Structures are given as C-alpha cells and as structure tokens.
Amino acid sequence: MNVLQKEFENILNTYVSGKHYDELKLAKADFITRTGQIDEETDEYESRMNSFNDWYLFNYRKDDGSRIIDHYLKGKDAEDDFIKAINSVTYSLFLFNKINFRKQVVIKDVLHDNKFVLSKENGELALVEDDLFVGRSIDYKGEKYLLNGLCTLPREILSTLKKESKKIRKLNNSDEEEQFLLNLERLKTKSVQYGHIDSSKIFVF
C-alpha cells in the first residue's frame, strides 16, 4: 500500500500545480458544491482534503470526459499490477464489520452488499468496529486496502443507509452511486455544522 500511496501522491503533485492549477481550482469548487464547505479549523478538515484528493484522482472528469488518473496513465508504460489496481478502485459506503479470529479487519461494503478482509499491511486504521464511512477500496496483488480519504458517518443512521443503499444498488448505475455517496459527504458536513440536531433529521433522502 505504501507503494501505491506514494505513486498517488506523486500524481497529485503533478496535477495540482503549473498548467494544471486552474483545473484543480475548478475541481475543488465542484467538490465543495457537491459536499459543502468545511472550516479549515475543524477536526474534519484533513479527512475532507483526503477525500477530495481521492475524488480528484479517480472521479473528477475533465472536459474531454477523462479522469486525472486516465490522463496520467495515457502514454505511460505502467506495470500491469498498477493498472489492475487503478481499475479496481471502488467508491462506496463501508462498515468496519469486525476483527475476526485471525485478527483480520473485515469490512462490509454496504452499498454493493459484500464483505472483504483488509490486508494486514493496510497500515494504521483510525477506525474501530461498527464505524460507518464513505471511502474507496483498492485491490493490489491479491490484497485489499483502503485509500486515505475516509468520511466517517454517525453509526445510528446505519439502518437508514442500508435501505437507501439497496435502492441505489437496484439502479445499477455508477453515476447514481457517486451522486449518493457525495450526498452522504454533504450531509456529514451539515451534521458537523449543526451538531445540536439529531442525525436522523439530517440524513433524510
């Protein structure tokens, strides 16, 4: 995972400055429109920026319809394992299901209704059992990992999100899935801004 993360950081460094700076500004404005503005002083700011970085690389579309990661790979002689990993990135709603008897972290993909075991080399995970979050998984050389951009959600809305995920899953449409997940990030921003309001009254669909 360190190899992948370092490569992603190198790609980001290339596409956030120079001739790409204007594109970055457009992408950030789009992301804020979709997920809400968050104060730089809040505890959530770093995780929000990590979420933006992942979205910018793997979801944001340039004028020609290509993603940043596609633009980067074009004309490059990348390793097959790296290309396979890129094509495996899954944006979803996840639940830290449990730690099994082998001391492995089991993650439930709530949106796509499946489970997987995280690689023990995933690195330190700032999550505990029953944590609910929006993020991205990736397959690399037969192992599963989570990318850095994780947006945690209130645990008490799990049943609501399971029902909503089932509706979205039936549509079988990646655009609808992305819209749903970005909306969850927007509602999370709203819940931070209005901490005195019960989550069930904010996460309404």
Side-chain angles (χ1 to χ4, degrees):
M1 187 57 195
N2 288 336
V3 173
L4 285 177
Q5 201 60 54
K6 186 175 181 180
E7 187 67 23
F8 295 153
E9 288 171 4
N10 289 337
I11 298 170
L12 274 172
N13 288 336
T14 299
Y15 285 87
V16 299
S17 59
K19 64 181 181 180
H20 303 290
Y21 182 64
D22 287 342
E23 188 87 53
L24 173 71
K25 289 197 298 183
L26 287 173
K28 188 166 287 189
D30 188 10
F31 187 74
I32 290 172
T33 297
R34 293 167 180 254
T35 63
Q37 180 76 55
I38 193 163
D39 193 326
E40 293 184 17
E41 301 302 318
T42 67
D43 294 337
E44 303 288 335
Y45 187 73
E46 183 178 353
S47 63
R48 169 55 61 84
M49 287 301 96
N50 286 334
S51 292
F52 167 72
N53 288 341
D54 288 348
W55 179 80
Y56 182 52
L57 277 181
F58 301 108
N59 295 89
Y60 172 71
R61 297 284 176 174
K62 296 165 67 67
D63 288 341
D64 63 2
S66 67
R67 302 173 301 166
I68 297 297
I69 193 68
D70 298 327
H71 194 270
Y72 172 78
L73 288 174
K74 191 175 182 180
K76 287 196 178 297
D77 188 22
E79 292 183 1
D80 286 345
D81 285 334
F82 184 70
I83 293 174
K84 287 179 182 177
I86 296 304
N87 291 329
S88 76
V89 172
T90 301
Y91 186 31
S92 196
L93 170 65
F94 299 106
L95 175 70
F96 188 142
N97 190 241
K98 64 181 179 179
I99 297 177
N100 65 19
F101 68 94
R102 294 179 179 175
K103 305 299 182 184
Q104 297 169 305
V105 174
V106 180
I107 300 291
K108 166 82 172 180
D109 183 336
V110 178
L111 180 55
H112 302 110
D113 194 28
N114 59 62
K115 291 181 181 179
F116 58 86
V117 173
L118 276 187
S119 169
K120 290 186 177 181
E121 296 182 8
N122 189 87
E124 187 175 346
L125 199 61
L127 298 167
V128 295
E129 286 188 29
D130 296 328
D131 271 355
L132 186 63
F133 59 97
V134 172
R136 288 168 182 80
S137 66
I138 188 169
D139 301 348
Y140 185 56
K141 295 185 177 180
E143 299 276 2
K144 283 273 194 180
Y145 302 88
L146 292 175
L147 299 187
N148 286 341
L150 306 180
C151 175
T152 57
L153 302 172
R155 298 180 184 181
E156 58 268 24
I157 61 168
L158 176 58
S159 60
T160 298
L161 295 190
K162 279 183 176 180
K163 292 176 183 176
E164 200 63 25
S165 292
K166 188 174 182 179
K167 294 177 187 176
I168 299 297
R169 185 164 62 248
K170 285 182 177 179
L171 298 176
N172 194 28
N173 184 300
S174 58
D175 289 338
E176 291 288 347
E177 290 183 6
E178 182 179 350
Q179 184 176 332
F180 169 61
L181 295 166
L182 288 171
N183 189 41
L184 291 183
E185 297 200 44
R186 181 185 67 82
L187 294 174
K188 168 59 184 293
T189 301
K190 189 174 181 180
S191 71
V192 170
Q193 294 169 338
Y194 299 94
H196 59 289
I197 299 177
D198 189 270
S199 298
S200 63
K201 299 186 184 304
I202 292 178
F203 285 82
V204 176
F205 304 92

